[in-house]
Amino acid sequence: MHHSRLAGFIIDCQDTPPDDAAAFWSRALGMNSEGDDGHGYAVLDASARDLHIEVQRVTHPSRVHLDIETDDQPAEVARLERLGARQVAKGARWVVMEAPTGQRFCVIHARRPLAGAPGTNVWP
């Protein structure tokens, strides 16, 4: 048995420094920016919504993608593959996947325990 849930959204901004992109998105969404974390991300404070929202600099065209967090990444990736998703790439803490409808998303390691957390699904 494992757990997963929607963790939040990543705003991919082509060739734009995270702080520059976060300046717009923090005002547009009414969330404070915690600034560039030194790893190419700027975190927006979405804690009141129990979400994690980051702005990141990328080299591909700008888009928004969602993150699914889980306490068992291999099990969650396998579950999503059974639903028709496919792996596109793998990083140190995430797996980039593509839905059968073409949208990209990431499966990430949970930042905190998920059992009993709001919005968490339990999978056999």
Side-chain angles (χ1 to χ4, degrees), residues 1-117:
M1 177 171 26
H2 74 279
H3 304 87
S4 70
R5 72 178 187 161
L6 173 65
F9 300 90
I10 309 300
I11 303 169
D12 298 335
C13 300
Q14 186 176 23
D15 300 324
T16 305
D19 280 339
D20 292 352
F24 168 79
W25 285 107
S26 66
R27 290 190 307 262
L29 299 174
M31 300 174 186
N32 292 327
S33 174
E34 297 174 8
D36 190 333
D37 68 357
H39 301 293
Y41 297 90
V43 177
L44 302 182
D45 181 5
S47 59
R49 294 162 183 87
D50 197 29
L51 291 172
H52 187 83
I53 300 177
E54 295 178 333
V55 177
Q56 74 173 335
R57 182 181 198 157
V58 296
T59 56
H60 59 70
S62 296
R63 60 181 174 228
V64 174
H65 76 263
L66 61 88
D67 281 355
I68 296 173
E69 65 179 343
T70 181
D71 53 13
D72 187 338
Q73 193 179 57
E76 183 66 2
V77 167
R79 184 184 78 81
L80 294 164
E81 287 176 327
R82 287 191 300 275
L83 296 175
R86 68 179 185 88
Q87 289 188 48
V88 175
K90 188 169 183 166
R93 296 175 31 239
W94 63 87
V95 175
V96 179
M97 301 193 73
E98 186 173 277
T101 51
Q103 293 84 5
R104 300 264 172 111
F105 61 98
C106 292
V107 177
I108 63 170
H109 294 289
R111 291 176 175 84
R112 61 185 182 271
L114 293 180

